[in-house]
Each structure stands twice: as structure tokens, then as C-alpha cells.
Amino acid sequence: MIEHGLPALYVLLLWWASTGAVLYVIGLPRDTFRGSLTWATAALVLAVFVIALTRDHESVWAAYAAFTAALAVWGWHEMTFLTGVITGPRTTPLAKGATGLARLMPAVEVLIYHELAIFVTVLVIAALTWTAPNQVALWTFAVLWLMRLSAKFNVFLGVPNLAESFLPDHLKYIGSYFRKRSMNLLFPVAVTASTVAAVYLIWSAAAAPTAFAATGYTLVATLMVLAVVEHWFMVLPLPAEALWTWGLSSRRSSNGTPPSNNIHNDCQPNPAHAEAGLA
């Protein structure tokens, strides 16, 4: 039981705490970003070293270390994106009424540098751990990458809950590329596929022959389950923001009132094509 319960609890707490910490930091005044990014970059360097150090070790501590290191690498990408350092060449809202390629291509331009940076990181971690017995870091980062891609496609195609309140003020223009609608065709496919993957990982953890394998599979399986839950947050009437009220508290204005959860009017999706899909 300890081989499964403790790793699952560790992931749950780390997911909650790290998400809230990032939200808190990027809600601080922009003149604090340089220091925050310096610390995040130092953590990135250490995390890459840990991934290289643990790749040949098949122990419980090595599984935890590799998982945590991969999460730290992901945190660096989140920090560089949410601070606006690595996003894309386009930093303006979507033109109202844009559909089809006229909507897709600007959306790609908004995120392309961020996505390319993540893809390069996947290749680096794969190269570091290639044929090595400890693949936990690669599995962890791959789950984060693929599930975040799925979430981005879903908010682009349209979901009921867009969670614009998570965007810092300097990135509010990104909200104009979201679409609010009851459902899109990708969502049930994505949720079904990711649920099947989660069940497979849980089964693998239960059937693991060693403590290292059981711990590694449980860590990744729990992360996948949380990613599925985050997908459901996009369509169910659940106040996801309530989980990280403390993280969002740094965005309070000087008079102590919380910022609006809505993006500015000129950044809102155009209701005239809210049901148009990619057409």
C-alpha cells in the first residue's frame, strides 16, 4: 500500500502547491519577474542534472527525484510563458470575426516559441534517458506536454469553462483565442483516450514487480488522473479557481480588491462565431 498511497499523495500535494506557487509569482508586479526567472532557471539547471544523475538508478528515491525534476523543468516553461518571456511573435488579440485559418494561424503565432521550447525539452530529456532503466522523468514530462496540448486544443475549439482568471494581465490578449461553447468534438475523444491511458498506468502500478516500478508508475498514473480531472474542469460547473485562491491572491489591486475574472471586452471571443468550430 505504501508503494502506491505515498506516491499518489506526493503528486497531489506537489500538483496543488506548485500550481498555486506559479500563479502567485506571476501575479506579483512585473519588476519581480527577473528574480523569479533567475530562481526558476537555477532550478531548471539542477533538475536537468538530477535527471541525468538518476537515469541509471532503479530505486524508490530515484523515481521520486526524476519525477520532481521533470516537474521543475515543466515549471520553468510555465514561468517563462506566463511572465511573457517565451510566448510567440504575436502579442495582440484575435481580430473579431476571424474563422478558419484566419483564426488558427494567429493562434499558432501566439504560442509557437513556447511550444517549440517544450518540444526541444522533450528531445533533450529523451536523449538523456535513452535506453536508461529510469524513464520516470521522460514519462512525466510527456504526460504534462501531451495533456497540456490537448487542453489548449480544447479551449481553442470551445469549452464552457475557459478559466480566463488564470491569465495574468499582460497575457489577457490570449483569452481572445479561446472559444466558449457547450462542447467540441475533440473533448470526448481526448478524455476517453487519456482515461484509458490512466487506467493502463494504474494497472501497471498494481502489477509492478519492483518497488521502483510501482512508485514510478504510481507517480505518473496520479499525474495522468489529475490531468483528466483538469479536462473535466473545462466542461463541468466546478469552481476550479477555488483550489488556488491563495495563489491568485497576489493579483489583488492596491485597494485590496481582487482582479476581474473576465478578460477585457476587446479580447473576448466574438459571439457571432462562437459555434463555428474551425470553419
Side-chain angles (χ1 to χ4, degrees):
M1 181 63 183
I2 193 171
E3 294 174 350
H4 304 298
L6 286 182
L9 181 61
Y10 178 76
V11 176
L12 182 62
L13 293 176
L14 192 59
W15 166 78
W16 176 77
S18 60
T19 300
V22 170
L23 290 173
Y24 187 87
V25 169
I26 59 100
L28 294 172
R30 297 188 71 177
D31 58 9
T32 66
F33 287 177
R34 183 186 295 270
S36 299
L37 287 170
T38 298
W39 284 105
T41 301
L44 168 71
V45 174
L46 178 61
V48 172
F49 174 75
V50 169
I51 291 172
L53 180 67
T54 58
R55 63 187 177 185
D56 294 318
H57 294 271
E58 295 181 272
S59 62
V60 170
W61 76 264
Y64 276 103
F67 176 86
T68 307
L71 222 60
V73 174
W74 183 261
W76 181 85
H77 283 286
E78 289 290 281
M79 285 290 295
T80 56
F81 174 71
L82 290 172
T83 56
V85 172
I86 301 179
T87 54
R90 184 181 178 92
T91 58
T92 56
L94 179 68
K96 290 185 177 181
T99 59
L101 288 177
R103 180 169 178 256
L104 176 61
M105 296 312 297
V108 172
E109 292 173 2
V110 164
L111 304 174
I112 188 63
Y113 298 157
H114 171 64
E115 296 300 335
L116 287 175
I118 293 177
F119 181 68
V120 169
T121 303
V122 172
L123 296 180
V124 170
I125 296 177
L128 280 174
T129 59
W130 196 254
T131 70
N134 187 347
Q135 298 281 316
V136 174
L138 180 59
W139 298 342
T140 301
F141 201 85
V143 167
L144 290 166
W145 175 45
L146 294 175
M147 294 304 289
R148 180 57 59 85
L149 273 179
S150 172
K152 288 175 180 175
F153 278 120
N154 273 287
V155 297
F156 176 78
L157 293 172
V159 290
N161 305 321
L162 300 176
E164 301 101 328
S165 60
F166 287 132
L167 289 173
D169 289 341
H170 55 277
L171 294 182
K172 290 297 186 184
Y173 65 91
I174 293 178
S176 66
Y177 298 86
F178 299 169
R179 172 168 288 163
K180 192 176 185 68
R181 63 191 301 188
S182 59
M183 181 59 67
N184 69 77
L185 294 179
L186 174 63
F187 183 82
V189 175
V191 167
T192 300
S194 54
T195 301
V196 170
V199 170
Y200 171 77
L201 289 168
I202 293 170
W203 177 85
S204 298
T210 66
F212 163 74
T215 302
Y217 275 119
T218 302
L219 291 168
V220 179
T222 306
L223 187 64
M224 177 62 82
V225 170
L226 290 173
V228 173
V229 171
E230 287 183 336
H231 271 57
W232 281 110
F233 280 157
M234 292 189 286
V235 299
L236 296 178
L238 299 173
E241 292 90 345
L243 289 171
W244 295 285
T245 302
W246 63 276
L248 295 169
S249 65
S250 62
R251 304 187 191 188
R252 293 181 179 276
S253 62
S254 57
N255 63 6
T257 58
S260 171
N261 286 346
N262 297 319
I263 55 181
H264 193 273
N265 288 338
D266 62 359
C267 295
Q268 289 181 344
N270 184 355
H273 59 86
E275 299 298 327
L278 285 176

